[in-house]
Amino acid sequence: MEITPNMTPEQYVDQLVQEDEALRAIREAIIGEGMPEVSVAHPYGKLLTFLIEVSGAQEVLEIGALGGYSGLCLARGLGKKGRIVSLELKEAYARLAHKHMKNNGYGDCVEYRIGPAADSLQALQEEGRTFDFFFIDADKENYPVYLEYAIALAKPGAIIAGDNCFLRGRTLNTDKNGPAVQAVRRFNETIATDPRLVSTLLPAYDGLALARVK
């Protein structure tokens, strides 16, 4: 591995923690489809796999499927009986995500629900569903709403992960105060201070919030 002058910690990790061929193919397909290039950073994707493995999570709720990059990372950590419910606003995105999940042998373990995530979350609550792992990576203005639903739908000890907590620097920029920025700031503050949670915030890449529900 080559270490270069002024290398950032993220660049160093990117060289050490390689993105495998399957994940790279999904990322390239997302770009090819003209979809937003906002999948979780691949070292954090590996962290999601790791957290599911060590926690033994079997019921996973993903809020924001995009093209299936994070879905594959989540599925890789599950046991044979594990299940993922994935919420996605756009049907075309969910179709691409499911295609990638099937191509990698996980098509049967994931259920997609199409439409506004808050509506799907309300339906899951009415159905009495509970989960032991949550990954939040969708529209930022609703992050506080998604966090409250995650806590409500959580089994004791469930893990909640939320991506893009820095919004590419906007969260830390006092000149930026739009609805998405304010919502993510509230989300971060709740993650850090809510007595229902044990939590931390990882500062690399675009920020990843992690919490365990008491």
Side-chain angles (χ1 to χ4, degrees):
M1 188 190 81
E2 181 183 4
I3 299 177
T4 60
N6 302 315
M7 176 180 278
T8 67
E10 287 86 355
Q11 290 169 334
Y12 180 73
V13 172
D14 285 343
Q15 289 197 40
L16 286 173
V17 183
Q18 293 290 316
E19 186 176 51
D20 62 57
E21 184 176 346
L23 290 173
R24 186 163 52 250
I26 295 175
R27 192 182 297 277
E28 290 172 354
I30 288 170
I31 295 171
E33 292 290 330
M35 296 163 63
E37 298 178 43
V38 293
S39 297
V40 64
H42 70 270
Y44 280 165
K46 290 200 170 186
L47 177 60
L48 295 177
T49 303
F50 172 82
L51 289 171
I52 290 179
E53 286 181 344
V54 299
S55 69
Q58 292 292 294
E59 296 291 337
V60 175
L61 181 61
E62 176 186 48
I63 305 176
L66 193 61
Y69 191 100
S70 59
L72 179 56
C73 295
L74 296 167
R76 284 174 167 177
L78 291 172
K80 292 182 179 180
K81 296 181 179 180
R83 297 284 302 172
I84 299 171
V85 175
S86 183
L87 312 183
E88 175 53 55
L89 178 64
K90 297 183 179 182
E91 186 173 356
Y93 288 11
R95 279 200 307 269
L96 183 63
H98 199 198
K99 173 186 173 182
H100 289 141
M101 293 290 278
K102 288 190 288 186
N103 288 347
N104 286 280
Y106 296 104
D108 292 337
C109 80
V110 60
E111 168 196 349
Y112 292 93
R113 297 199 179 195
I114 311 301
D119 294 346
S120 297
L121 289 162
Q122 179 64 37
L124 289 167
Q125 189 173 45
E126 292 171 356
E127 294 166 19
R129 298 289 297 273
T130 58
F131 301 87
D132 43 28
F133 197 98
F134 301 82
F135 181 53
I136 303 172
D137 191 10
D139 56 301
K140 309 311 173 190
E141 291 184 25
N142 280 311
Y143 261 39
V145 175
Y146 300 154
L147 178 58
E148 286 301 321
Y149 270 114
I151 295 171
L153 295 169
K155 298 177 182 178
I159 294 173
I160 301 171
D163 198 21
N164 305 121
C165 296
F166 295 155
L167 289 177
R168 292 172 170 80
R170 286 182 289 155
T171 304
L172 310 179
N173 188 339
T174 56
D175 293 330
K176 303 293 184 180
N177 292 289
V181 173
Q182 293 187 49
V184 171
R185 286 174 182 156
R186 290 198 304 273
F187 172 87
N188 292 342
E189 290 166 6
T190 303
I191 283 281
T193 63
D194 195 295
R196 297 170 293 179
L197 304 173
V198 178
S199 60
T200 190
L201 185 62
L202 304 184
Y205 299 95
D206 199 30
L208 185 73
L210 293 174
R212 183 179 63 81
V213 181
K214 294 180 179 178

